[in-house]
Amino acid sequence: MEYSSKKLEKQWQEYWAKNRSFEPSEDFTKKKKYILSMFPFPSGRLHMGHVRNYTLSDAFARYYRQQGFNVLHPIGFDSFGMPAENAAIKNGSHPKTWTYSNIDYMKGEFKSLGFSFSKERELATSDELYTKFEQGFIIDMYEKGLLYRKKGFLNWCPSCNTVLANEQVIDGTCWRCDTSVVKKDMNQYYFKITHYGDELLSDLSKLEGGWPKQVLTMQENWIGKSNGLEFRFSFDEASLGRLNSKFDGFDVFTTRPDTIYGVSYAAIAPEHEIVSYMIQNSLLDDSVREQIESMKNASSIERQKEKSGVALNLHVVHPLTKKSVPVWVANFVLMDYGSGAVMAVPAHDERDFDFAQKYDLPIHAVIKPFNSESDDTKAFTEIGELFSSESFNGLNSKDAQAKIIEHFEMLKIGTKKINFKLKDWGVSRQRYWGAPIPFVHCDDCGLVMEKKENLPIALPEDIVITGEGNPLDKHPTWKHCKCPTCAKDALRETDTMDTFVESSWYFLRFCASPKNWEDEAFSREQIEYWMSVDHYIGGIEHAILHLLYARFFTKVFRDLGYISFDEPFDRLLTQGMVLKDGAKMSKSKGNTVDPDAIIEKYGADTARLFILFAAPPTQELEWNDSAVEGAYRFIKRFYERSSNITKTESIPSIDHASLSKEEQFARKKVYEALVRAQDVYNEKYTFNTMIAGVMEAMNALNAQSNSAIWSEGYWILASIMEPVIPHVCSEISSRYFSLKNLTSQRVLEEVFVENVITLGVSINGKARTEIEVAVDASSEDVIKIAKESAAKWLEGKTIVKEIVVPKKLVNLVIKD
């Protein structure tokens, strides 16, 4: 039989579509598996990272269908976002036209790769129906107090012309375009994710064993829970006068109360309200004001590199020593952590030390090493012994932290406080291609929610995108509406939502049946059956952004009464990147590989086999053209050698004891591959080792000629490999087994029973030969066979000792 991938793959893709082969059942009494890949942005073409992601999820979905599970394996498109607007500007197209034409093309690619996605539950997050349900959830969250609007200094990307959440600023740059982020003072809608900070942190323990430790650690660090002391620095009399008594002081939070006696200056953020007041009221020199404005306009990463600051000619009073402490504006102090003000202890903090040295500020050491002298040339940040700390002298610095907090609380000048690095999630975006935020601004009623019966608030299609400003804000009619409360003229909110909102609940939407798709986002019955997601597959780059937000939305939906569980994803598999020439594939590097070209030349099964065989899924995969060719040759050989099969609708019954050595070995290798496959799909996910086992089994089958063993071997191997190379395995299984082998396979222990074993034979400890003996042979029989096999080394010699190490070797000690 000659292998023709194009003909064979098209035939099976049409068969699966015609027979609705991948649609989940509505029978909720069946055991279920929900297999989900992180859905793509419809950029136009799949890349090999997509192929790896979806091949992994498809392998799981197909495997569990064979095991008798009701499998939900859906796909959608994360279709709102800036790239569509950028493409519209570049190509003169409409974002919607560009997006949905790309979706159509990618659907064709999915089909050509044989991915077993449910067709009836496909979605795009830019669909108006999706927007309708999402806007309803947003209104519910606002009523629950989990969404609010306020003015503040926000992360602004000058290239994308939009606000970014803290999580979308990576090393001071925009997560999407790498442009340095600046701060901008403007109104913003926020999700109150901090309300769930403790639960998001504590529930990470529920995910242990199912999620990679690295991801759990990344989330723990991002949430950043810390215990410490909060107290107030009060201004001295002169400073109060300079500020016209507008402020009496400011709060600070520290995780190092043990260093309180070493404070030599206080530092506040350039955006702090005290600084803003002084600028607005001309209380600062022009040069100082210019320096502060420069700090505010610098990106977060720039502000952390080179320390800079200016003195405000203000002083606060140390709460314990009552000494005067100067107040500085420092670029390293950020408003989005704590109160935007810190106590600075240069002797025991490296950042404070560098700043103090640069500006010749005092450095007061109050902790020293236990068994050595202090080094004045750097900050001492280890645990040590307190000194120059009044009644706390001599204490271990770690122990002193709790005692000093108690002291503050006793004096009622400070409190123990838990702080989080996690900040509320800003979700306003100043762009067109996003879900409109369902609020109305009324001169009489203020900020008003739209009525749910008026949803969705859909985007207007008659817009012009220039890249300057928000097209919705410039639209002549769209933003004009009636107030839902008083019916007077009002204005719609023109900000749209961060696209991470859409991806924070899409996995729930997939649970909706086609029967109620139009009527509700999902039903309680369907959610209770399908959720949680059993296997979730995607890149580790989403460890904080998407995965944290999805966990937050799950907890919110639980509290709103939509669902009853706490976490959305039971098991998380983070696949490694696909590299070429040692670098991540990208158009700019010119090192991309087009999946369509691979399919055209070799077929989809070859692409799938290479992706799963080249490396374990969690590791980086280096593209290798010769390995792709090797994958194709194996599939061709696998297909052509199926001609050795005898047609059957049940697995052959074989008398193992009557078989030759080669026949028994072939069966053993086939069942070893089966055992390995079961282990891989359920625990290890190392598909490369499973495929290697199948290759070994093929070699063993080829070393014998028993048709029954060929048939049994292919019955099992085609079942094992169908999740990996589904087209060719379906063809073989259909032709020879009426597809009845694509089900759960049973391991036969009899094939692993050893009747004959091989023993090494040594003469005076030196290996000479090997013998085969019955597994239950006596020592006398083993020695007899060993002597016969080693006769030429024993000729004319005297055996002085005979040693049998059971199941390992025979050693004969001789002398002349």
Side-chain angles (χ1 to χ4, degrees):
M1 296 191 307
E2 185 176 351
Y3 175 57
S4 172
S5 62
K6 287 183 183 178
K7 178 181 177 182
L8 187 151
E9 290 178 358
K10 183 179 180 182
Q11 168 193 324
W12 279 100
Q13 288 159 15
E14 290 175 352
Y15 171 89
W16 293 326
K18 180 181 178 181
N19 289 276
R20 300 178 64 253
S21 299
F22 310 132
E23 299 306 326
S25 168
E26 296 285 313
D27 182 358
F28 295 165
T29 65
K30 297 177 67 175
K31 57 183 181 179
K32 69 90 184 179
K33 285 289 181 181
Y34 185 175
I35 312 296
L36 183 63
S37 296
M38 295 182 186
F39 62 172
F41 177 81
S43 57
R45 302 181 80 87
L46 294 181
H47 54 68
M48 294 311 299
H50 287 133
V51 175
R52 192 179 198 192
N53 189 353
Y54 306 133
T55 300
L56 284 166
S57 73
D58 198 56
F60 283 118
R62 289 177 176 274
Y63 171 77
Y64 283 114
R65 287 193 193 98
Q66 283 194 26
Q67 308 312 304
F69 285 86
N70 188 14
V71 174
L72 174 58
H73 184 221
I75 192 64
F77 298 91
D78 196 9
S79 49
F80 272 139
M82 282 302 302
E85 291 195 37
N86 293 339
I89 296 167
K90 181 179 179 181
N91 305 320
S93 62
H94 193 284
K96 185 174 182 178
T97 303
W98 182 85
T99 297
Y100 281 90
S101 64
N102 287 346
I103 287 173
D104 289 340
Y105 187 87
M106 291 176 77
K107 284 181 181 179
E109 289 186 299
F110 288 153
K111 181 178 178 181
S112 70
L113 282 157
F115 294 145
S116 63
F117 296 129
S118 164
K119 292 284 292 179
E120 296 172 5
R121 302 190 187 216
E122 284 181 354
L123 62 83
T125 58
S126 53
D127 294 343
E128 287 189 11
L129 186 61
Y130 195 91
T131 297
K132 172 186 175 180
F133 294 132
E134 182 169 281
Q135 289 173 337
F137 296 145
I138 296 305
I139 290 171
D140 291 342
M141 292 172 74
Y142 182 73
E143 290 180 331
K144 187 79 171 179
L146 295 172
L147 175 67
Y148 62 93
R149 186 173 187 257
K150 74 169 186 178
K151 196 170 186 180
F153 284 94
L154 308 175
N155 303 310
W156 179 264
C157 175
S159 176
C160 295
N161 284 310
T162 189
V163 166
L164 301 175
N166 290 331
E167 292 83 355
Q168 293 164 332
V169 180
I170 311 299
D171 294 331
T173 64
C174 173
W175 72 284
R176 189 180 288 282
C177 70
D178 293 329
T179 300
S180 291
V181 170
V182 298
K183 293 289 186 179
K184 195 168 183 178
D185 191 16
M186 57 194 300
N187 280 310
Q188 165 87 319
Y189 289 90
Y190 294 88
F191 282 136
K192 204 169 185 180
I193 192 172
T194 53
H195 180 71
Y196 290 87
D198 259 325
E199 189 180 358
L200 286 167
L201 183 63
S202 63
D203 279 2
L204 290 174
S205 62
K206 297 179 180 179
L207 304 175
E208 292 175 0
W211 283 37
K213 289 183 179 179
Q214 182 183 3
V215 175
L216 298 178
T217 299
M218 291 169 73
Q219 290 216 359
E220 181 179 356
N221 291 340
W222 186 263
I223 295 167
K225 182 178 181 179
S226 56
N227 295 293
L229 169 68
E230 183 177 81
F231 66 93
R232 191 165 185 80
F233 272 131
S234 298
F235 285 119
D236 63 11
E237 289 297 328
S239 299
L240 285 170
R242 189 157 186 245
L243 292 170
N244 302 314
S245 296
K246 174 70 174 178
F247 304 93
D248 64 359
F250 52 85
D251 294 329
V252 294
F253 171 81
T254 178
T255 60
R256 292 293 309 276
D258 51 317
T259 65
I260 185 68
Y261 288 94
V263 173
S264 63
Y265 65 95
I268 60 178
E271 300 86 0
H272 199 283
E273 61 177 344
I274 292 173
V275 180
S276 298
Y277 175 81
M278 296 183 78
I279 291 174
Q280 292 164 6
N281 290 275
S282 303
L283 299 179
L284 297 173
D285 294 340
D286 287 346
S287 63
V288 172
R289 179 181 53 77
E290 288 172 4
Q291 290 181 67
I292 292 172
E293 292 297 337
S294 177
M295 290 182 213
K296 288 161 66 172
N297 290 329
S299 69
S300 298
I301 193 168
E302 290 173 331
R303 287 172 63 166
Q304 298 304 310
K305 283 180 179 177
E306 179 65 29
K307 308 292 185 297
S308 66
V310 289
L312 289 177
N313 194 23
L314 297 174
H315 290 78
V316 290
V317 179
H318 191 290
L320 296 181
T321 67
K322 305 304 179 184
K323 292 181 180 178
S324 180
V325 176
V327 180
W328 283 65
V329 172
N331 66 342
F332 61 80
V333 184
L334 305 176
M335 280 303 299
D336 55 10
Y337 183 74
S339 61
V342 300
M343 68 175 213
V345 187
H348 306 294
D349 183 278
E350 292 173 353
R351 179 195 60 191
D352 297 348
F353 183 87
D354 293 342
F355 190 89
Q357 283 210 316
K358 181 174 181 177
Y359 294 104
D360 196 26
L361 294 168
I363 299 175
H364 304 310
V366 292
I367 303 174
K368 60 184 178 182
F370 289 115
N371 299 310
S372 61
E373 294 298 319
S374 298
D375 182 355
D376 296 337
T377 64
K378 60 182 180 180
F380 176 67
T381 59
E382 306 297 322
I383 297 173
E385 178 185 335
L386 263 65
F387 70 99
S388 297
S389 299
E390 297 183 347
S391 62
F392 302 99
N393 288 342
L395 288 179
N396 177 298
S397 59
K398 193 71 175 175
D399 298 335
Q401 292 182 5
K403 293 185 179 298
I404 289 174
I405 291 174
E406 288 175 7
H407 186 62
F408 267 81
E409 291 184 325
M410 181 191 70
L411 296 175
K412 297 184 179 179
I413 57 173
T415 58
K416 180 179 180 180
K417 187 175 181 182
I418 297 172
N419 214 348
F420 289 89
K421 194 169 79 173
L422 178 71
K423 297 302 169 187
D424 282 344
W425 173 13
V427 293
S428 302
R429 299 294 179 265
Q430 294 68 44
R431 60 171 178 240
Y432 165 73
W433 194 237
I437 298 175
F439 291 96
V440 171
H441 299 276
C442 175
D443 289 340
D444 291 343
C445 304
L447 185 66
V448 181
M449 295 177 292
E450 185 55 87
K451 293 180 179 179
K452 284 190 177 182
E453 56 263 33
N454 294 335
L455 302 180
I457 305 304
L459 294 168
E461 296 196 17
D462 57 332
I463 48 92
V464 178
I465 297 179
T466 63
E468 297 180 2
N470 183 352
L472 293 177
D473 202 38
K474 297 178 179 180
H475 194 280
T477 60
W478 182 83
K479 64 182 179 181
H480 297 284
C481 65
K482 296 296 181 180
C483 174
T485 300
C486 69
K488 292 182 180 179
D489 289 344
L491 293 176
R492 290 203 183 285
E493 175 59 66
T494 57
D495 282 357
T496 54
M497 282 186 275
D498 180 5
T499 56
F500 278 97
V501 176
E502 279 85 66
S503 59
S504 294
W505 70 279
Y506 79 110
F507 47 90
L508 299 173
R509 174 61 172 157
F510 283 135
C511 296
S513 164
K515 294 177 181 178
N516 67 324
W517 191 259
E518 300 285 332
D519 302 323
E520 55 185 344
F522 42 77
S523 74
R524 186 67 177 246
E525 180 189 28
Q526 292 154 357
I527 285 288
E528 294 293 336
Y529 176 70
W530 287 116
M531 290 295 291
S532 301
V533 175
D534 295 283
H535 289 277
Y536 196 37
I537 300 145
I540 199 167
E541 65 270 19
H542 299 292
I544 294 171
L545 290 164
H546 162 58
L547 289 169
L548 184 65
Y549 293 155
R551 295 182 61 226
F552 163 64
F553 256 67
T554 300
K555 296 178 189 307
V556 169
F557 278 20
R558 177 203 62 200
D559 290 350
L560 290 173
Y562 306 149
I563 59 180
S564 60
F565 47 88
D566 301 324
E567 291 289 337
F569 313 120
D570 285 347
R571 288 188 171 223
L572 174 68
L573 174 60
T574 52
Q575 90 275 6
M577 292 187 297
V578 180
L579 311 178
K580 192 168 190 287
D581 304 323
K584 181 181 179 181
M585 287 188 181
S586 71
K587 292 179 181 178
S588 62
K589 294 186 176 74
N591 67 343
T592 59
V593 174
D594 185 356
D596 290 348
I598 298 298
I599 295 170
E600 176 66 24
K601 184 174 181 179
Y602 297 111
D605 282 345
T606 294
R608 294 170 62 116
L609 180 63
F610 167 76
I611 280 289
L612 293 183
F613 185 51
T618 57
Q619 296 180 13
E620 293 177 338
L621 184 156
E622 177 71 34
W623 187 264
N624 185 316
D625 290 330
S626 62
V628 174
E629 178 73 34
Y632 172 76
R633 288 197 304 270
F634 171 77
I635 292 173
K636 187 173 184 291
R637 190 163 59 247
F638 185 76
Y639 181 75
E640 291 172 351
R641 288 182 183 174
S642 67
S643 60
N644 292 310
I645 301 172
T646 300
K647 286 187 178 181
T648 178
E649 293 197 0
S650 62
I651 191 167
S653 178
I654 298 173
D655 180 9
H656 191 71
S658 67
L659 301 178
S660 68
K661 174 185 173 183
E662 292 77 16
E663 292 167 342
Q664 288 186 347
F665 183 70
R667 292 191 84 205
K668 178 183 176 184
K669 298 307 289 184
V670 166
Y671 280 96
E672 280 181 352
L674 175 58
V675 170
R676 192 177 296 182
Q678 292 172 345
D679 189 36
V680 165
Y681 282 113
N682 291 292
E683 292 294 336
K684 296 182 178 177
Y685 314 145
T686 50
F687 291 93
N688 55 316
T689 64
M690 179 192 80
I691 295 167
V694 171
M695 292 176 173
E696 292 171 9
M698 284 297 298
N699 291 336
L701 285 171
N702 203 48
Q704 58 85 53
S705 58
N706 187 322
S707 176
I709 292 173
W710 273 103
S711 300
E712 178 194 43
Y714 263 81
W715 181 281
I716 292 170
L717 297 182
S719 173
I720 292 173
M721 291 298 288
E722 185 269 341
V724 179
I725 48 174
H727 304 89
V728 71
C729 287
S730 293
E731 178 66 19
I732 292 170
S733 298
S734 174
R735 181 174 298 179
Y736 294 104
F737 307 131
S738 301
L739 296 177
K740 293 187 176 180
N741 68 313
L742 299 184
T743 185
S744 179
Q745 301 296 327
R746 183 168 64 92
V747 175
L748 296 182
E749 296 296 337
E750 66 182 42
V751 303
F752 302 114
V753 176
E754 299 279 358
N755 295 319
V756 176
I757 58 174
T758 300
L759 303 178
V761 179
S762 300
I763 308 295
N764 287 349
K766 187 174 183 180
R768 291 298 188 184
T769 187
E770 290 183 341
I771 59 173
E772 286 188 351
V773 299
V775 70
D776 56 355
S778 65
S779 295
E780 291 77 10
D781 289 340
V782 169
I783 290 171
K784 179 182 178 182
I785 296 170
K787 288 178 181 178
E788 292 172 354
S789 178
K792 66 180 181 179
W793 291 285
L794 300 176
E795 189 174 347
K797 309 295 182 182
T798 302
I799 298 175
V800 296
K801 198 168 187 180
E802 300 167 342
I803 303 170
V804 176
V805 180
K807 297 185 179 180
K808 288 188 177 181
L809 59 84
V810 178
N811 186 34
L812 301 175
V813 180
I814 62 173
K815 67 177 181 178
D816 295 331

